[in-house]
């Protein structure tokens, strides 16, 4: 009798997760593969880039070339005190 209870428990441990997995797999939808358009067209109203004829040697730097100074370091923030610190 004990052997049959062990076999039933073992079967339940194996069969129930397999049943859940099989049901989940059967109920899932298989999505269609994305369709790529044969030709991509850009907006016709977008401005076209025109090359400049002369570049002056004193041109202003682009934003990526600008150097920005660091802000001053100050430690007047009292939020970093540990719990129980009254002073």
């Amino acid at each position: 009798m004990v052997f049959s209870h062990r076999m039933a428990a073992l079967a339940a441990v194996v069969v129930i997760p397999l049943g859940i997995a099989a049901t989940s797999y059967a109920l899932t939808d298989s999505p269609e593969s994305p369709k790529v358009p044969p030709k991509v067209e850009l907006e016709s109203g977008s401005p076209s880039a025109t090359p400049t004829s002369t570049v002056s040697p004193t041109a202003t730097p682009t934003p990526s070339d600008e150097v920005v100074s660091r802000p001053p370091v100050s430690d007047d923030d009292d939020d970093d005190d540990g719990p129980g610190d009254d002073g």
Side-chain angles (χ1 to χ4, degrees), residues 2-87:
V2 175
F3 183 71
S4 64
H5 287 288
R6 288 182 183 171
M7 289 300 291
L10 179 62
V13 167
V14 172
V15 171
I16 291 174
L18 287 178
I20 292 171
T23 304
S24 175
Y25 180 76
L27 294 177
T28 56
D29 291 334
S30 57
E32 295 180 11
S33 61
K35 296 181 179 170
V36 180
K39 182 179 179 184
V40 177
E41 295 181 15
L42 299 175
E43 282 185 26
S44 61
S46 62
S48 60
T50 56
T52 56
S53 59
T54 60
V55 176
S56 65
T58 60
T60 58
T62 59
S64 62
D65 293 339
E66 291 182 11
V67 177
V68 179
S69 62
R70 298 175 67 180
V73 178
S74 62
D75 190 21
D76 55 340
D77 183 23
D78 292 336
D79 293 341
D80 58 350
D81 290 341
D85 289 342
D86 294 331

